[in-house]
Amino acid sequence: MKKKSFLLFLTIVAVFFITDRAVYLMLHRIEKEVFTGQSVGKANLFNKVKDSVELLVMGSSRAARHVDPDLFPLSGYNMGMDGTHLGYATALLSSLNRKGQTILVHVDHHEVFNADYMGEDMLALLNESMDSEEMEGFINEYYPEDILLSKMTNCYVYNGKVLGMFKNAFMDSGVSKPTNGFSPLTPSAQQKQTFEQILEKEGITQNIEMPDTLVVNEKFESMVDFAIETAKRNNSKLIFFTSPSLNKVKKGARQRTTDFFNSKGLLYLDDLDFFKEFDIDYWKDRSHMSKLGAEIYSTKLEKDISPFIEVH
């Protein structure tokens, strides 16, 4: 009886293992043909162009919506991704091989001091880690249990991605259009009117809550250190920046942020107050500029970094 139970157990394990690998291979084959959408497409396009461009922009939606690589004298790609932070950006950095790139990484002041941040956004790249030993090693430093799960059941890496991936593969054909990754926002007349009403009611600016004690998050700092080492290895120029916002941060927190990056020997550009006068045409909401505002800011950012980069 025990022997039969053991054989049944082995059979179940074998069926599970074979089914998991087969489904993963099918999903992986579909994924590699998708170059649209944020579930897998933009990362795939990044992998396709990362070693052919001279400028990379990374960070959250405030990177994706605010920096147009076409306004820089370098070939570039904007890998800003909605809902991500430094963990996602540094995981991508781990896969870079090209020498002499300029890498712009967007951060917001509150991210530096957020004690609850654990880098969980990097897990959105678990599927990419299956094809990159460097990325797998990086994620393993922070989330070894997820890497272990991905080894036990390969399909785990597509958790939460399948529907978006299938939509872009079969409904949008998955065909990539020429893009530099920049995703500008163009408010409709109705959206602009709604935003005006919100500002009239609540005021133009709002203050961002910051911790009473401005202690740099240890994991955030370790990711910055990793980014520095990666840039050194590739002889690349690493620059951190904060783009304009209508959300305001106290002077002490801004200075502490500047001091932190300066202590690492990094160039940090704090452009939170770039627009001295409010013009609603420059904004989609308090955190995101419109396409017009982004173009004005991108021109300014290009001028600021030009003394520190080489144009090939």
Side-chain angles (χ1 to χ4, degrees):
M1 189 69 178
K2 289 183 178 180
K3 183 177 180 181
K4 288 184 178 179
S5 298
F6 181 67
L7 289 174
L8 178 61
F9 171 75
L10 288 180
T11 301
I12 292 172
V13 170
V15 170
F16 171 81
F17 181 87
I18 294 169
T19 303
D20 172 71
R21 267 49 180 180
V23 173
Y24 168 77
L25 289 174
M26 178 194 70
L27 293 175
H28 189 257
R29 185 173 299 174
I30 293 171
E31 177 216 327
K32 291 308 174 187
E33 299 301 319
V34 177
F35 296 97
T36 59
Q38 297 206 22
S39 57
V40 298
K42 192 169 187 180
N44 280 344
L45 194 53
F46 170 81
N47 287 331
K48 193 174 182 179
V49 305
K50 65 182 180 181
D51 292 326
S52 64
V53 297
E54 301 163 297
L55 171 71
L56 289 169
V57 182
M58 297 183 177
S60 65
S61 61
R62 286 181 22 81
R65 316 294 186 182
H66 291 175
V67 183
D68 184 354
D70 283 352
L71 299 180
F72 292 72
L74 304 170
S75 59
Y77 186 73
N78 187 324
M79 191 49 210
M81 181 69 74
D82 294 358
T84 68
H85 303 287
L86 190 59
Y88 188 93
T90 44
L92 289 171
L93 280 172
S94 70
S95 70
L96 297 181
N97 294 308
R98 175 165 175 160
K99 308 298 182 183
Q101 289 177 311
T102 297
I103 302 168
L104 295 175
V105 182
H106 187 282
V107 294
D108 283 309
H109 303 90
H110 67 273
E111 296 175 325
V112 182
F113 310 107
N114 181 5
D116 297 325
Y117 180 62
M118 304 295 288
E120 56 275 6
D121 49 309
M122 70 176 68
L123 293 177
L125 291 166
L126 263 181
N127 60 303
E128 297 292 333
S129 73
M130 299 289 280
D131 297 320
S132 170
E133 291 183 6
E134 293 79 12
M135 188 180 294
E136 179 186 309
F138 174 80
I139 296 176
N140 191 61
E141 290 293 318
Y142 295 88
Y143 289 96
E145 64 279 7
D146 287 273
I147 293 296
L148 178 60
L149 275 171
S150 73
K151 298 294 186 184
M152 294 172 63
T153 168
N154 289 175
C155 288
Y156 176 70
V157 303
Y158 288 116
N159 185 31
K161 293 179 178 291
V162 174
L163 289 179
M165 186 170 73
F166 276 27
K167 173 184 177 294
N168 288 293
F170 300 116
M171 297 181 67
D172 297 337
S173 77
V175 177
S176 61
K177 298 177 182 178
T179 175
N180 61 10
F182 175 48
S183 305
L185 297 168
T186 304
S188 66
Q190 181 60 51
Q191 289 172 330
K192 183 177 177 180
Q193 183 181 19
T194 300
F195 187 41
E196 284 179 324
Q197 292 170 350
I198 292 173
L199 297 181
E200 287 175 4
K201 182 180 179 180
E202 301 177 358
I204 293 174
T205 63
Q206 287 189 345
N207 293 323
I208 295 292
E209 292 292 327
M210 300 292 289
D212 293 332
T213 305
L214 298 174
V215 178
V216 176
N217 178 300
E218 289 184 2
K219 283 190 166 54
F220 182 94
E221 183 170 9
S222 72
M223 293 171 194
V224 170
D225 290 339
F226 177 86
I228 291 171
E229 290 305 312
T230 301
K232 283 182 179 178
R233 185 184 71 237
N234 291 333
N235 194 29
S236 295
K237 181 64 180 179
L238 179 66
I239 300 171
F240 283 81
F241 73 106
T242 303
S243 64
S245 174
L246 294 177
N247 295 315
K248 300 306 174 185
V249 177
K250 290 182 179 179
K251 184 177 180 180
R254 294 178 66 177
Q255 186 59 55
R256 178 76 178 90
T257 301
T258 299
D259 291 343
F260 166 72
F261 285 111
N262 287 347
S263 72
K264 299 291 184 180
L266 291 166
L267 175 62
Y268 169 64
L269 303 172
D270 186 347
D271 291 324
L272 196 70
D273 295 330
F274 168 62
F275 291 109
K276 302 304 180 186
E277 301 292 334
F278 174 72
D279 187 329
I280 197 166
D281 290 334
Y282 296 164
W283 300 96
K284 169 66 168 60
D285 54 45
R286 284 195 179 90
S287 296
H288 299 93
M289 291 179 281
S290 66
K291 184 175 186 291
L292 175 60
E295 288 174 348
I296 294 171
Y297 174 63
S298 294
T299 300
K300 183 265 185 189
L301 185 60
E302 184 278 321
K303 290 179 180 177
D304 283 349
I305 71 169
S306 61
F308 303 97
I309 63 176
E310 289 185 28
V311 179
H312 302 289

